[in-house]
Amino acid sequence: MRADRTKKKNKWLRITGIIVLLLAVSLGAYLFTVYKSLTSAVETMQEPIERETRPIKFDNREPFTVLMLGVDEREGDRGRSDTIIALTVNPEKNSIKMLSIPRDTRTEIVGRGTEDKINHAYAFGGVEMSMDTVENFLDIPIDYYLKMNMEGFQEIVDAVGGITVNNDLEFTEGSFHFAKGNIELNGREALAYVRMRKQDPEGDFGRQKRQRQIIQGIIKKGASVGSLTKFDDIFAALGNNVKTNISFEDMVDIQSNYKSAAGNIEQMRIESAGTTIGGIYYGIVSSEEQQRVQNELKTHLGI
């Protein structure tokens, strides 16, 4: 009897061992597939620039900056950067400052020797002229860029299965009506939600806030367990619609050494006064306000 029990025990141990091995192999294959899909997407996202930037030592947790551009591109037209956000990241202060720059802000367009709306820098000279212009306007180094095709909001939102946002302004845009409170958005709805500007008392600031809501909603939904089965679609959507000069290795280092700062994002705002020059509307930032913003960002970067 004891021998029979021993044989049964050994049999179940072998079966259990085989099941565990199969699960381990399956998990390993799944993780490898995820990794390959991620690296493939990152490779597609890579768009190096010739512009010289500071060498950042991520393993030393050095502060750095990123210029985020939301570009409304159309076929045969480079488009303009309707969303311009400067990020300063400081892991020692465990924080990120996020400054939204209104697209109508009048400033020097570096490389053209003229003053114009800041979002025209992208139309004139692409990412590099945008980086040069924002760097000059804020008087801080711009190290990296992240460019998103605004049309891509639709594809990315659909890839994660839709998102939830808290809307504080009831409005109608096109064929879509957006009520106050928590609302569910699919890709087409999200695109309409971020494009509305004229009905918002805050104008561009309100639009920028909705754009940040969509980005945060995508991140939250994309990181959820339920999105694991959609990883291929998510990575493909990101690869199709996002470009950056941040390498895969740098992304890994940033995730490893700077992730605590991501939990403390401080929104900044720059005030401007609207005026018309030559029949064109501009936002004029006073020298005092410009200096205030520059000082705050420099202090955060430790420069």
Side-chain angles (χ1 to χ4, degrees):
M1 291 291 291
R2 184 176 294 176
D4 289 342
R5 284 199 298 270
T6 300
K7 286 182 179 178
K8 288 181 180 179
K9 183 179 179 180
N10 290 337
K11 178 181 178 182
W12 281 111
L13 284 173
R14 286 196 299 272
I15 293 173
T16 302
I18 292 171
I19 292 173
V20 170
L21 179 62
L22 289 174
L23 286 174
V25 170
S26 298
L27 178 61
Y30 175 76
L31 292 176
F32 178 74
T33 303
V34 172
Y35 177 79
K36 290 294 290 182
S37 182
L38 173 60
T39 53
S40 176
V42 172
E43 286 178 5
T44 305
M45 290 163 58
Q46 292 299 301
E47 198 167 85
I49 55 177
E50 295 182 3
R51 179 180 185 272
E52 283 191 23
T53 55
R54 303 179 302 165
I56 304 296
K57 297 180 180 179
F58 294 111
D59 52 350
N60 289 344
R61 293 167 58 84
E62 293 180 352
F64 69 97
T65 61
V66 180
L67 178 64
M68 295 179 63
L69 299 172
V71 179
D72 201 356
E73 295 178 318
R74 294 175 175 85
E75 188 174 350
D77 180 13
R78 177 183 279 165
R80 290 178 173 83
S81 50
D82 286 340
T83 301
I84 306 170
I85 299 174
L87 297 175
T88 59
V89 185
N90 190 324
E92 297 305 321
K93 296 184 178 181
N94 203 36
S95 64
I96 295 174
K97 286 188 181 288
M98 177 184 287
L99 173 68
S100 294
I101 305 174
R103 62 181 185 171
D104 294 328
T105 301
R106 183 177 173 89
T107 190
E108 178 188 350
I109 306 299
V110 176
R112 286 183 67 87
T114 59
E115 288 198 345
D116 206 332
K117 295 185 179 184
I118 197 167
N119 74 326
H120 287 189
Y122 182 81
F124 293 140
V127 167
E128 295 188 26
M129 188 172 286
S130 294
M131 294 176 76
D132 288 341
T133 297
V134 172
E135 183 173 274
N136 181 68
F137 178 68
L138 297 178
D139 196 28
I140 59 172
I142 299 296
D143 302 311
Y144 299 98
Y145 81 90
L146 185 71
K147 181 183 73 170
M148 175 181 286
N149 179 7
M150 297 302 289
E151 291 283 346
F153 267 146
Q154 178 173 334
E155 185 179 353
I156 296 170
V157 169
D158 284 336
V160 300
I163 61 171
T164 302
V165 298
N166 191 338
N167 182 30
D168 59 7
L169 176 69
E170 183 175 5
F171 65 92
T172 298
E173 178 72 8
S175 59
F176 302 106
H177 180 76
F178 301 98
K180 279 188 176 182
N182 286 329
I183 54 176
E184 301 285 333
L185 302 177
N186 61 26
R188 292 181 63 214
E189 291 166 338
L191 192 58
Y193 184 75
V194 299
R195 279 188 162 164
M196 190 280 283
R197 180 167 66 111
K198 293 183 179 179
Q199 302 171 59
D200 196 323
E202 292 190 289
D204 254 353
F205 290 117
R207 188 183 192 210
Q208 290 161 2
K209 179 174 66 178
R210 286 188 293 279
Q211 290 167 347
R212 290 195 298 267
Q213 284 182 315
I214 297 295
I215 292 171
Q216 290 167 347
I218 290 170
I219 293 172
K220 183 177 179 180
K221 189 68 176 288
S224 68
V225 175
S227 295
L228 289 176
T229 57
K230 306 184 184 82
F231 73 86
D232 214 21
D233 292 338
I234 295 171
F235 291 156
L238 289 173
N240 291 338
N241 296 288
V242 177
K243 299 298 179 185
T244 184
N245 63 333
I246 306 175
S247 68
F248 180 74
E249 292 77 14
D250 286 345
M251 289 181 188
V252 172
D253 285 342
I254 291 170
Q255 166 63 18
S256 174
N257 297 302
Y258 295 74
K259 59 184 176 183
S260 60
N264 183 17
I265 300 178
E266 180 185 345
Q267 308 285 345
M268 290 178 60
R269 180 165 172 163
I270 188 166
E271 300 291 343
S272 62
T275 190
T276 300
I277 302 175
I280 300 173
Y281 175 86
Y282 295 96
I284 305 298
V285 177
S286 69
S287 57
E288 293 80 12
E289 175 69 357
Q290 188 174 4
Q291 188 69 58
R292 179 191 68 81
V293 171
Q294 290 175 353
N295 289 343
E296 185 171 344
L297 294 174
K298 287 178 182 178
T299 299
H300 189 243
L301 290 169
I303 58 177

